[in-house]
Amino acid sequence: YIFIEYDYTQYAEKVWKQVLDMYQSSYEEIVVQPKETRSSFSQRVLSIVTNTKNEMSVMYYNQGKLGLFKEIQDELTKNSYQLYTTSKYFDSTNVNFILTKDDSDMVAYQIILELKIRNLAILSPLSKFRLYLEHEGTKTEECVVDYDPSSNVVVLLSGKRKGVTKGALFTLYAEVFDQDSEEYGTYNHIQSIFAPRDIPANVNFEEFKMQQQS
């Protein structure tokens, strides 16, 4: 990741394509196998290829190559791969749904994204982190967090939402920006998550909790 951290993206892309050339034919055979029949080696190949494609797609997004980004992400999400992204600035360490309640005590949810900063030296001390959430074609700004140079952890939390179907796809964009300088530009760390369960829109929070426990 030294190539990505210091913007030698052409070298990173070359290495990633070499990895894909090495494993792509095996990957294509593995993806059509039932999950329960895959060997540990097959699982390893699957992990190498899917993570390589995911991380390459994030590079493409930040280069403005949105067609390539979408093509790769469509393939990965079609197969419901839950991947943890590594990018220029961050490692995703946790992404999850949190059950909560709205002002009327009805069940709601938020999505939390926890990031570990990979290299403190390449971040501007004036950086901020903005979270966008994309779902069903709509992208909304959720929060902005100031960078704390004394910590290598960033926690981003979406606003409260109501109603979701199990398996629904959400894409989170953690944008790094610096309001006081154009030297660093902006960068997006991208993390996807699928809803782990149905969360109804109009059910009392305590009733829903009891339903889940029964």
Side-chain angles (χ1 to χ4, degrees):
Y1 280 90
I2 194 73
F3 294 143
I4 292 295
E5 288 180 2
Y6 292 98
D7 296 323
Y8 295 110
T9 52
Q10 68 274 28
Y11 299 115
E13 183 177 24
K14 181 178 179 180
V15 172
W16 279 330
K17 286 186 173 180
Q18 288 174 344
V19 171
L20 293 179
D21 286 344
M22 185 181 304
Y23 290 108
Q24 184 65 29
S25 60
S26 297
Y27 168 77
E28 291 173 356
E29 294 175 3
I30 292 166
V31 292
V32 297
Q33 297 173 357
K35 292 182 180 180
E36 61 274 11
T37 66
R38 293 172 185 166
S39 66
S40 57
F41 175 75
S42 294
Q43 295 285 9
R44 178 62 180 155
V45 170
L46 193 68
S47 175
I48 290 170
V49 172
T50 55
N51 281 288
T52 297
K53 290 186 175 187
N54 184 47
E55 289 151 17
M56 190 161 62
S57 77
V58 173
M59 178 191 70
Y60 285 144
Y61 182 91
N62 283 287
Q63 292 175 332
K65 299 176 181 178
L66 302 186
L68 288 172
F69 166 76
K70 186 177 185 304
E71 178 184 335
I72 294 172
Q73 285 296 317
D74 284 350
E75 175 194 342
L76 296 174
T77 55
K78 178 183 69 176
N79 291 294
S80 300
Y81 295 128
Q82 183 60 72
L83 305 171
Y84 280 75
T85 299
T86 294
S87 70
K88 177 178 180 177
Y89 293 111
F90 305 114
D91 292 326
S92 292
T93 56
N94 180 42
V95 59
N96 216 335
F97 279 69
I98 299 175
L99 288 180
T100 184
K101 53 187 173 182
D102 65 11
D103 295 338
S104 302
D105 290 332
M106 307 298 277
V107 67
Y109 65 92
Q110 294 173 274
I111 301 177
I112 187 171
L113 175 61
E114 298 179 22
L115 304 170
K116 180 181 177 182
I117 299 173
R118 295 176 49 78
N119 185 346
L120 296 171
I122 63 174
L123 267 177
S124 161
L126 301 176
S127 292
K128 294 178 182 289
F129 310 117
R130 179 185 286 117
L131 178 66
Y132 291 96
L133 187 59
E134 185 174 22
H135 176 56
E136 295 182 341
T138 300
K139 189 175 180 181
T140 56
E141 181 179 333
E142 301 292 323
C143 70
V144 177
V145 174
D146 290 335
Y147 172 40
D148 177 3
S150 68
S151 174
N152 68 342
V153 175
V154 178
V155 178
L156 301 170
L157 186 64
S158 78
K160 294 181 180 180
R161 293 171 171 250
K162 296 178 66 177
V164 69
T165 303
K166 181 179 179 180
L169 171 66
F170 293 79
T171 304
L172 294 85
Y173 300 79
E175 181 187 66
V176 182
F177 69 102
D178 181 346
Q179 289 182 321
D180 300 317
S181 171
E182 296 182 359
E183 177 183 355
Y184 293 87
T186 60
Y187 181 88
N188 282 271
H189 175 93
I190 303 170
Q191 175 67 53
S192 295
I193 185 174
F194 299 90
R197 69 181 83 177
D198 291 334
I199 302 176
N202 297 297
V203 174
N204 178 271
F205 178 72
E206 295 300 330
E207 289 180 6
F208 183 73
K209 282 178 62 179
M210 291 178 62
Q211 292 172 7
Q212 299 304 301
Q213 294 167 3
S214 62

